Amino acid sequence: MTAHDVGAHDAAAQGAAALTTLRVGLIGAGERVELALHLPAGARVVAVADPSPRGRAHARDLFGADVTVETDHRRLLELDLDAVMVFSPDHLHAGHAVDALRAGASVFVEKPLATTTADCDRVLATARETGSRLYVGHNLRHAPVVRTMRRLIADGEIGEVKAVWCRHFVGHGGDYYFTDWHADRRNTTSLLLQKGAHDLDVIHWLAGGYTRHVTALGAEMVYRHVTDRRERPEERMGDWFDADTHWPPGSLTGLNPTIDVEDVSMLTARLDNGVLASYEQCHFTPDYWRNYTVIGDRGRLENFGDLDGAVIRVWNSRRSGYREDADRVVEIEAEDGTHGGADPALVAEFVRFARQGGATETSAVAAREAVAAGTAATESLRGDGTPVDVEPLPADLAAYFDRGQRELEVR
Ligand SMILES: NC(=O)c1ccc[n+]([C@@H]2O[C@H](COP(=O)([O-])OP(=O)(O)OC[C@H]3O[C@@H](n4cnc5c(N)ncnc54)[C@H](O)[C@@H]3O)[C@@H](O)[C@H]2O)c1
């Protein structure tokens, strides 16, 4: 048995840990830190780090005066923490995750895992080297609409999956991604990666494979023409977001000084199992939802809506013209909580994993593969659209994660 096995998987230690409170530290206290409000009984926020006064004040409001609040995440990591959740901007994820893994904590990283494939691989390698548990917050894997599509596929409703197409209409795109740090490619690489990491992961999950070749086109069509710009260092999205106004998109004001990410992008991909995929993302549509179409060799399915009240239609009995009733219509009932109940389920899974390890619906390797596909697609669209290959994760590292983040036992 190696030192890693002893550190991360000792059964007696797990039993004892289950009886004690899980001490959780948070890095970054902006909009998304509210995910930590879903921590279940037995897990408690004890410290938060954020360099901005606004973030630190928000942390005290949310988690109380007893919580230790730091400006530098390294001070936070000096505390005796069992788990760390990373909610900082995307380009900081890798550094924060590596530091937290080295501090011995179980680590939750918001998606995307990082903004480059090399940084993803660095985080995964550090998890292996330290034996600390790594979890990436791909909440869509807990979304009822995605889980239902996956179940229908597993039940054989459409036969063997051959193609997956996803159209993502980002109706609030200007408010969400062009008014702050997201609009600057130094922080995100691209929105095809930033926002698309969710969908690329779902495409991979539904298809049962990972992208190996990708080609893409994209453009800055609307928001770059908006000349009303300003810095908003102490503001957060809730300060400017308004679902009922801000239309048409080009009328938005106060956008980020730097805008150099595409507001429409489209990719096609070939996966390692031969499945073909396409993904289209637009940030100036009037409506906000995702449409997945999955085509198998015995039928196809498609979702209409993606939250409460959504339906999945399955056509699989014969050829026909358009039939709205389809052969099967499955209604989606969202659970309580943000993102259709996906967020509470995500946090509950992380806490269970931090305590006990074991299998999870989310996957650190899949999170890496979503970033790898997104960065390769960005390279293609910022070049001349020619295909870019995606290198797989080194096999020994992939095997470590396939074993549930365990080293091979040496007897
Ligand atoms: N899974 C989802 O559905 C989902 C939804 C929204 C955001 N996210 C992700 O969550 C993360 C945070 O997004 P957000 O909307 O909360 O952004 P935000 O801008 O509202 O908050 C980011 C916070 O990080 C802080 N920060 C900046 N530098 C830091 C540092 N060095 N150390 C610690 N904190 C630092 C900022 O001061 C700010 O308070 C992003 O990676 C984003 O992609 C995921």
Side-chain angles (χ1 to χ4, degrees), residues 26-33 35 49-56 58 70-73 86-93 96 110-112 137-140 177 180-182 194-195 198 233-237 240 339 343 346:
L26 311 176
I27 300 178
E31 293 283 331
R32 192 60 179 158
V33 78
L35 200 64
D50 194 310
S52 102
R54 168 75 181 260
R56 295 196 296 278
H58 189 45
E70 301 284 358
T71 54
D72 189 322
H73 76 282
V86 177
F87 299 116
S88 49
D90 302 5
H91 65 298
L92 302 174
H93 287 183
H96 287 159
E110 254 302 347
K111 56 57 51 186
H138 274 280
N139 49 348
L140 275 196
Y177 301 103
D180 66 6
W181 54 267
H182 295 84
Q194 202 298 321
K195 188 72 170 150
H198 279 301
E234 290 302 297
E235 290 180 71
R236 299 292 180 267
M237 196 259 292
W240 63 78
H339 291 111
D343 286 345
L346 182 81

Side-chain angles (χ1 to χ4, degrees), residues 275-297:
V275 171
L276 296 181
S278 78
Y279 175 57
E280 289 81 34
Q281 179 192 88
C282 180
H283 285 260
F284 47 87
T285 57
D287 50 340
Y288 184 27
W289 66 293
R290 297 172 158 93
N291 171 270
Y292 294 96
T293 296
V294 187
I295 306 175
D297 56 7

